[in-house]
Amino acid sequence: MVHIPDYRLARERMVKNQLIPRGIKNHRVLDAMGKVPRDRFVEEALVNEAYNDHPLPIGHNQTISQPYIVALMTEALKLTGKEMTLEIGTGSGYQTAILAELSKRVCTIERVRPLMVKARTVLAELGYNNILFKAFDGTLGWKEYEPYDAIIITAGAPKIPQPLLDQLADGGRLIVPVGNRFRQELIKATRKKGNIIQKNLGGCRFVDLVGVHGWKD
Ligand code: SAH
């Protein structure tokens, strides 16, 4: 008999051991992390590591982020289910699925086309129908659907890309790792009546955001 593993228990353990003890409190975020099958977003050879407490390679020199970082960034966006959300750096599509669970609609941009195509396939198989995909330089944003209530950049930037700040709605939240190529601080920027208020959520390490308003290739 072929044994098809069910990772429900692994997901529950991930929430209980990695997220709650580090301070993730939002129940909608915890529920989404307990629901989305992270095992579907990693390479077959790494499937047994899918719920481990670290990032994993996804090809093209890119990584799927550590579960805790996904939860931390998502919680900071304060999603209620009504948002138009923009994601820069689709990668595996795992963070995209979490955003799609918690927003009205997600626009996601990935510069490496084969990653976008693979993520789009997996997310369609899982039944998500509120996600729009684009293979492009996300530092330029996505004009057609602005303004966004929430913007998340899942790659490290030298500074916050100005087009993304420009496409943020009043009251909107933007999360981005900002720093050098080896170490960044997770910055939350909130637009309030034309002013941008910034808060530092702590240190992190991401792959490069490459583009016109990011690092040069
Ligand atoms: N959230 C993803 C993280 C992937 S790593 C996940 O958990 O799977 C970051 C991704 O950002 C990479 O796939 C990289 O190709 C992409 N990226 C880097 N610069 C970009 C840019 N300017 N526009 C869009 N995507 C970019």
Side-chain angles (χ1 to χ4, degrees):
M1 207 177 85
V2 183
H3 176 65
I4 298 168
D6 174 9
Y7 291 96
R8 191 173 44 85
L9 214 69
R11 272 196 292 284
E12 278 172 21
R13 282 204 201 101
M14 175 186 84
V15 169
K16 203 168 140 244
N17 301 335
Q18 298 173 35
L19 308 185
I20 294 171
R22 290 189 183 123
I24 305 297
K25 288 191 187 72
N26 184 298
H27 276 283
R28 297 182 72 242
V29 174
L30 293 172
D31 288 350
M33 299 287 298
K35 178 180 171 191
V36 174
R38 187 171 162 91
D39 49 284
R40 295 289 302 276
F41 296 88
V42 304
E43 289 167 15
E44 217 161 312
L46 297 174
V47 95
N48 288 321
E49 293 183 58
Y51 295 93
N52 290 1
D53 195 13
H54 51 72
L56 288 169
I58 56 171
H60 303 271
N61 290 320
Q62 308 302 330
T63 56
I64 174 171
S65 301
Q66 178 191 11
Y68 168 64
I69 290 291
V70 173
L72 179 70
M73 292 175 85
T74 307
E75 186 171 59
L77 290 175
K78 296 205 184 305
L79 300 171
T80 66
K82 295 183 184 143
E83 290 78 12
M84 188 70 180
T85 298
L86 175 65
E87 177 189 40
I88 311 304
T90 317
S92 67
Y94 174 67
Q95 170 82 71
T96 321
I98 300 287
L99 298 171
E101 289 282 342
L102 300 172
S103 316
K104 184 171 170 205
R105 206 171 187 197
V106 181
C107 293
T108 186
I109 311 178
E110 169 56 56
R111 69 185 285 272
V112 180
R113 180 174 285 275
L115 287 176
M116 183 279 270
V117 170
K118 194 167 172 202
R120 190 175 59 189
T121 305
V122 174
L123 289 161
E125 282 168 6
L126 291 174
Y128 291 100
N129 54 19
N130 59 341
I131 306 170
L132 294 170
F133 297 84
K134 181 150 130 173
F136 200 63
D137 173 6
T139 67
L140 298 165
W142 194 338
K143 271 257 171 204
E144 284 95 319
Y145 302 98
E146 67 162 329
Y148 298 96
D149 307 297
I151 300 180
I152 179 170
I153 299 148
T154 66
K159 60 177 187 332
I160 309 181
Q162 188 60 42
L164 299 177
L165 283 175
D166 294 343
Q167 294 176 23
L168 191 61
D170 190 39
R173 292 79 64 196
L174 177 150
I175 308 289
V176 55
V178 177
N180 61 36
R181 295 183 108 139
F182 308 102
R183 187 88 202 148
Q184 303 93 33
E185 306 287 334
L186 214 46
I187 302 296
K188 175 174 179 176
T190 308
R191 178 187 287 281
K192 287 222 170 85
K193 298 198 177 89
N195 294 320
I196 300 288
I197 298 155
Q198 290 193 28
K199 194 176 160 189
N200 189 337
L201 305 181
C204 55
R205 183 171 183 177
F206 278 81
V207 297
D208 290 352
L209 181 75
V210 178
V212 173
H213 299 272
W215 297 103
K216 302 294 161 251
D217 208 352

